[in-house]
Amino acid sequence: MPKKTTPTKYISPSQKIWKKKDKRPNGILNLAKQYFRWMEIQNYSVHTIKGYRYQLGWFLSWCHESSFYQIHQINKKIIEKYKIHLSQRTSKRKDSLISTSAQNDFLSVVCGFFRWLVKQEYVLNNSCEEVSYYPSTKKLPRDTLNAEEVEHVLNQTDLTTAKGIRDRAIMEVLYSSGLRRGELFHLCIQDLDLARGLILVIEGKGRKDRLVPLGERAIKWLEKYLVEVRSRSMKKASENTLFLTMHGKAFASPNRFTSIVREYINTAKIEKKGSCHLLRHAMATGMLQGGASIRHVQKCLGHSDLSSTEIYTKVTIPNLKQVHLETHPASQSEPEVICQNQQKENLPAFPAPEKQSEKIHPFWQENTPNNTLKPLAEKFLEHMKLKGRSLKYIKITRFYLRTFLQWCTEREIHHPKLIDQRILSLFESFTYQRKNKKGQALSVTVRKQQMIAINLYFRYLVEQKHLSTNPALNIELPKSPIRIPRHVLTPEQVEEILNLPNTKTTLGIRDRAIFEVFYSTGIRRTELANLILKDIDFYNQTILIRNGKGYKDRIIPIGERALQWLTEYLHQSRPLISEREQPHLFLSGRGKPFRPESLSELIMLYLKKFGLYSQRGACHIFRHAMATHMLSAGAEIRYIQEILGHSKVSVTEIYTQVSIDQLKEVHNQTHPAKLYPTKTFEIIRELEQLDPPRKS
C-alpha cells in the first residue's frame, strides 16, 4: 500500500524571512533581529514579541522581494509604496482585502521599528515620521449574549461526566470574572482565594497583576471541579495549572478553551460569532445594566484605558431606552392589530438594481504629461483612498476637482506652479456666477465645499514637495447659513403617513415596517439600507448601527410598535419577497438589498400621496420629526445626540430651534403686551366700526 503523505504545513513569507541569513552589517534583516533581542531585554511580553515579529516579517519579506536589503534604501516613498501594498493584500482566511485596522497595526509595527533605529543611531531620519494612518474607531461587539442566552449555554454541559463538570466550571469562571482566555490558561491553583472570593491574575495583558472578584455560584462550581474531578480523575497530575485535560496535563494553548466554549454555543443553537470573549462581553454588559460604575467594570476587565471599557456603555443603554420610551410619541400609542397571512403581489415595487461600476468622466481619461494638474490630482485621490476616506467623499471631491481642472485647462493653466491666489480668486468668482442644471445659482455650501477640496489638493502638493507654498491657504471660505429643517411634521401628520401603506399586501407590510423603523430610531437612509438581520436585538429592544457616518458604531433603542411591525414583516412578508437567504434586513420587490436612493423614491411616493412634494430629504423627514417630538416631550439634547449619531452637540441643537413649544409658552406668559389686552381689543373694535379710509 502506498504510504500516506502528510500535508505540508503552510509557512508564510513573514515566517520564512527570519530563517534567512544576512551578512550585511547594516542589513535590514540583521537590524530587525537586534530589535527583537532588545525587546526581550526590555521584558516585553512573549505574545507582543510574537505578534510584532509576524507583522514586521511581512515588511521585511516585501523589502527583499523589492530588492531593498540595506536600511539606507528605505525612505518615505518606500514606506508609502508598502502602504499601497498592504491595501492590496488579501486575508488568507476570508480571501478578501485585510481591514484598515489590520493595515494600521502592520504600519504601527514598522513605525516602532524605525523609531528604535533612530534612537540607536542606525539612521538619522525616521522614514515613518509622516506616515498617515487610516481613521479608526472602537468597534462595538456585533454579537453579544444576554443573560438568558448565557444560562442556556451553561446548561448544555453534561454534569454526569467529569468533562461536563470541568467545562461548566471553565465557563462559570469566564462569565463571573470576565477573564481573557490567555489569563485563564495561565491560572494556577495558588492564584485562587475561594474563601475571599478572589482570583489573582499574574501578568495579565500589559504584564499587569490584578485581583478579580469571583461570584458565589462560580466558586461552588470550582469547588465541585476541584473535589470531584481534579482530585479524583487527575490524581497523578503533577501540573499546578488550574484547568487540565482529562489526561491530567495542561492544555497545549488557550485555543483549546475557545473550542470548548464554541462547542456549547453551537449545541445551544445560538448563531453568534465568538467564544470566550462572548462571556467576557456578557459579564461587562450585565454588570453595567445592573448599575455597576464603569470604573469597577474597568478594574474587573483589566483595561488600562477607560475608553476601552466605554464601548460597553454604548452596548448597555438603559437610560437612553427609558428616555425613548417616555418621550417618543409612538411609545404612547396603543398596540395595533397587525394583518397576517399576506400574499406576494405580482408586480414588485421599487426594485433595487445591481450596483453599477462608477463611470469615469472622459476628462480623466485624457493623457497629459506627468507632474501636471490632472495626474497629480489622480495621485491625490488615490492618497485619499489610502487614508481611509469614504468612497462617497472621494467621489464628491473628484467632481469638485474636475470642475476646477477643466476651468484651468480652458485657460491654458496646466502646471500647479502657475496657480496663485489671484487665479483662485478668479475661479471663486466663476463659481459664484455659475449655474446648476436647473439654472439656479450654486448654493453657498457647494461653493464652500469646492474651495475646501481645492485647498486639500494643494496641501497635498505641498506635502509631496511639488509646491513650496499652498496658494489656497489664505482664501477665505464663504459663510454657510445655518439651516433648520424646512418640513417638520406633527405627531398627527406622522401617524397619517404611517397609515398610508396598504398593510393587506406583502409590500405594504414591508413599507410600514420601514416607516416605523425610520420614525422610531431616526437612523439615516444609508444606515437602514445596510442593516442586517443580526443587527436587530428583539430581547433588548435595540438596533446596532455598524459603520455609520464617520465609521462609528452605535446602539440605539427601538420602540415596541416598530418591533411589532418588524416581526410581522419578518414572519409574513419577507419570506414571500425572497426565498433565498439574504443577510440584509429590508429587501426590494426583487428580493435584493435596497439602495439608499431607492428608499428615498419609496418614501417620496407616499409623501406625494400625503400632499408633501419636497424634492429632498424624504427619509430625513422622519429623522427630523423623531428628534423634534422627543425634545418637545422633554428629552435632554444629549440623548437625542446619542440616538442620531451626531459627533457634535451643535449639530443636534438645530432641533431646539424647531421645537419651540416651551418658548411659545414663556412668550405668552411674560411678554408685556399681554398686560394690556383689554384696551388693545377695545381700540381694534372702535377702528372696525369706523368707515374705511378713503383713497386720496
Side-chain angles (χ1 to χ4, degrees), residues 525-620:
R525 64 175 189 175
T526 304
E527 295 171 343
L528 185 134
N530 292 333
L531 283 178
I532 63 175
L533 294 170
K534 290 184 178 181
D535 293 337
I536 311 299
D537 188 343
F538 286 89
Y539 179 83
N540 291 310
Q541 296 187 347
T542 57
I543 285 184
L544 169 61
I545 306 298
R546 178 73 64 175
N547 285 331
K549 195 170 183 179
Y551 296 100
K552 294 177 182 177
D553 299 350
R554 71 184 190 278
I555 290 181
I556 55 177
I558 181 171
E560 185 176 352
R561 191 177 75 177
L563 288 175
Q564 288 178 352
W565 281 104
L566 265 181
T567 303
E568 181 68 12
Y569 161 69
L570 292 174
H571 289 168
Q572 302 295 331
S573 180
R574 195 175 185 276
L576 298 176
I577 292 176
S578 176
E579 297 178 355
R580 296 182 298 175
E581 291 187 3
Q582 287 276 10
H584 286 80
L585 176 63
F586 289 111
L587 303 177
S588 70
R590 292 182 179 178
K592 297 178 181 179
F594 269 103
R595 292 184 298 112
E597 295 81 5
S598 299
L599 286 172
S600 294
E601 294 171 10
L602 172 67
I603 293 179
M604 184 58 66
L605 178 64
Y606 285 102
L607 291 180
K608 287 181 178 178
K609 288 182 180 179
F610 178 72
L612 192 61
Y613 294 90
S614 174
Q615 297 298 319
R616 296 185 61 187
C619 301
H620 252 54

Side-chain angles (χ1 to χ4, degrees), residues 242-257:
L242 176 60
F243 290 110
L244 304 175
T245 66
M246 301 315 298
H247 300 289
K249 296 181 180 179
F251 287 105
S253 73
N255 293 335
R256 183 63 187 133
F257 291 113

